[in-house]
Amino acid sequence: MTPVRVGVFGLLGSGNLGNDGSLEAVLGYLRADHPDAVVDALCGGPEIVAARYGIPATRLHWYRGEYRTASRAGAIAGKGLGKIVDAFRTAAWVRRHDVVIVPGMGVLEATLPLRPWGFPYALFLLCATGRLFGTRVALVSVGAAEIGNRPTRALVRWSARLAAYRSYRDAQSRDAMRAMGVDTARDEVYPDLAFALPTPSEWGIPRSELVGELGEAPSGPPGPVGVGIMAFHGGNDDRARAEEIYRRYLDGTTRFVRALVEDGRPVRLLSGDEVDAPVSAAILDAVDSPLVTAAEAASLADLMKEMAAVDTVVATRYHNLICALKVGTPTLALTYAAKSDALMDRMGLAAYCHPAREVDADRLLDQFRALEQQSAELRRTLTERNLVAAQQLDDQFAALTAALFPAAAHTHTPANALRETP
């Protein structure tokens, strides 16, 4: 039989660890269940994807400055020409495949600043050409939210309608697409794909080795705290207040870190995207204590190692939260969208959420202390919820095989059999 030609699509290899972790989960599934599939990518960072994951990769956009603001006539013309060129490039790439998978990510939402003619347009081209050429496009365990901007809303709605397969990472995402006019009667909800990735304990690494340079607080337990930071400027509808939201977030987070240091707690600053570096630098400069250090994580695996090495996590980015919850570390979420609240509720920690737009360091500290008082019970809860998530993702991959690879549906490998040491 001719090998199935599978493409993976998205802002992959672009510096966002959550996106790359979703890709890694799908590649693990393909290699276990469909080892003969020929896989390549159309993505944001083809050099990184090719080097890190060993698959051929093509740049998503012809114009390399696609995600930079265009002010000069030449840049504006380049972007405009790029839209035309990308239509032909995307069609040619899609036509070479039997299946294209969009692995997770919030591809159907605009909870962070987003222009319609950037990624929403690229996703629409993918789904439209997939329908045109008979290539099955699958949006797998993706995030969605109702969108107010009319062009973005239209592109996202039509992308979802044209896809051959859809599943969502939470019920709110499915509800949002239904509210935007998409028939979701046959669409299922599964956990985020990152829950399919192995944890340090599954690699056989003891926590004592993971603690490493963090050390313990001078007085012994309680020990290190992980603080997941983000260059947070609000959402797509907050552009007029973006700088105000960022300053409030940074000030509240800095005050919280300073309070932890005053209590003698080592603090590890954790990021999930390259754009977060200025936030980390600002906090290090403001607090100016040897107890505060910054991690340099290159993957979700690295982030999970960091999360497993601390006693407690306070985090903002969605996949920072997932890494902490996945390794069973009690976590307090600085939430900026419904997806974070839904995740915390799914994992049994709905009471431990704090708004990222209105960080109140004093109230956050009170919530943090309450979280630590329930640490042992919450660790047991997370163990139970992670077992459920693993089973649900096994169901997701089985459903994906049935939908996209019907000839191989009887050969599905359970997700917990896919674990490999990175």
Side-chain angles (χ1 to χ4, degrees):
M1 294 179 64
T2 303
V4 178
R5 299 163 300 175
V6 180
V8 288
F9 176 95
L11 293 178
L12 310 165
S14 300
N16 184 287
L17 303 187
N19 292 358
D20 291 354
S22 298
L23 169 62
E24 186 178 339
V26 164
L27 291 178
Y29 150 71
L30 290 172
R31 287 164 179 164
D33 281 24
H34 308 285
D36 295 330
V38 178
V39 183
D40 73 313
L42 184 62
C43 59
E47 299 85 2
I48 291 174
V49 168
R52 183 174 295 168
Y53 302 108
I55 60 174
T58 303
R59 186 171 297 279
L60 179 59
H61 300 289
W62 173 79
Y63 182 64
R64 289 176 177 261
E66 176 60 41
Y67 293 104
R68 294 194 296 268
T69 300
S71 55
R72 295 186 175 185
I76 294 172
K79 278 196 172 187
L81 177 60
K83 302 308 171 191
I84 300 171
V85 174
D86 284 345
F88 290 96
R89 292 176 69 250
T90 302
W93 183 80
V94 169
R95 194 172 188 175
R96 297 197 299 268
H97 297 82
D98 302 299
V99 172
V100 174
I101 296 174
V102 180
M105 305 177 285
V107 297
L108 303 177
E109 64 182 47
T111 53
L112 296 176
L114 183 70
R115 299 293 188 188
W117 305 115
F119 187 78
Y121 174 72
L123 183 66
F124 171 74
L125 289 179
L126 170 74
C127 296
T129 54
R131 179 64 66 93
L132 178 66
F133 296 123
T135 300
R136 288 159 287 177
V137 175
L139 310 180
V140 183
S141 196
V142 298
E146 284 198 63
I147 297 170
N149 180 274
R150 292 181 68 179
T152 304
R153 182 185 179 95
L155 288 167
V156 164
R157 180 174 62 244
W158 276 106
S159 296
R161 285 176 173 174
L162 292 168
Y165 175 90
R166 296 181 299 268
S167 65
Y168 306 97
R169 63 189 179 191
D170 51 53
Q172 287 90 330
S173 293
R174 183 171 60 183
D175 293 345
M177 295 314 297
R178 183 184 300 119
M180 288 197 292
V182 177
D183 181 2
T184 62
R186 293 187 293 178
D187 298 353
E188 298 293 339
V189 173
Y190 300 100
D192 189 274
L193 290 171
F195 279 103
L197 297 175
T199 63
S201 63
E202 291 168 321
W203 308 331
I205 303 175
R207 186 175 185 276
S208 58
E209 290 185 18
L210 294 172
V211 171
E213 65 184 86
L214 291 180
E216 299 293 341
S219 59
V225 179
V227 177
I229 47 90
M230 178 179 179
F232 179 60
H233 294 81
N236 214 40
D237 298 329
D238 297 318
R239 292 179 181 273
R241 302 175 50 239
E243 190 60 27
E244 174 193 344
I245 290 171
Y246 173 73
R247 288 296 168 192
R248 183 174 298 170
Y249 170 82
L250 179 59
D251 178 66
T253 306
T254 301
R255 290 179 57 211
F256 174 70
V257 170
R258 186 178 289 116
L260 292 176
V261 168
E262 289 172 354
D263 284 346
R265 302 292 292 272
V267 175
R268 188 72 156 168
L269 301 179
L270 307 166
S271 168
D273 196 300
E274 293 173 355
V275 301
D276 299 333
V279 180
S280 179
I283 294 174
L284 287 169
D285 183 62
V287 178
D288 191 23
S289 168
L291 286 176
V292 184
T293 56
E296 294 184 4
S299 66
L300 287 194
D302 290 344
L303 266 182
M304 279 194 271
K305 290 178 185 177
E306 296 283 352
M307 301 295 191
V310 298
D311 282 7
T312 313
V313 169
V314 178
T316 310
R317 279 198 179 275
Y318 183 74
H319 280 92
N320 277 19
L321 293 174
I322 287 180
C323 287
L325 298 168
K326 170 73 174 170
V327 300
T329 301
T331 302
L332 198 161
L334 294 175
T335 61
Y336 62 89
K339 61 185 179 182
S340 300
D341 295 286
L343 172 64
M344 294 295 282
D345 182 58
R346 176 194 288 270
M347 300 303 289
L349 279 79
Y352 302 102
C353 295
H354 189 98
R357 284 176 173 78
E358 304 285 345
V359 179
D360 181 327
D362 294 331
R363 187 162 68 86
L364 183 60
L365 195 60
D366 289 340
Q367 288 181 285
F368 172 80
R369 288 167 176 160
L371 175 75
E372 291 211 312
Q373 289 176 357
Q374 300 297 319
S375 178
E377 179 181 344
L378 293 175
R379 285 182 182 275
R380 289 192 293 270
T381 297
L382 288 173
T383 297
E384 296 168 0
R385 299 298 174 96
N386 275 308
L387 290 173
V388 173
Q391 180 57 57
Q392 291 173 331
L393 279 172
D394 187 42
D395 295 341
Q396 163 69 100
F397 291 134
L400 195 59
T401 291
L404 303 182
F405 310 94
H410 64 285
T411 64
H412 173 63
T413 302
N416 60 9
L418 308 183
R419 313 300 192 196
E420 293 183 1
T421 302

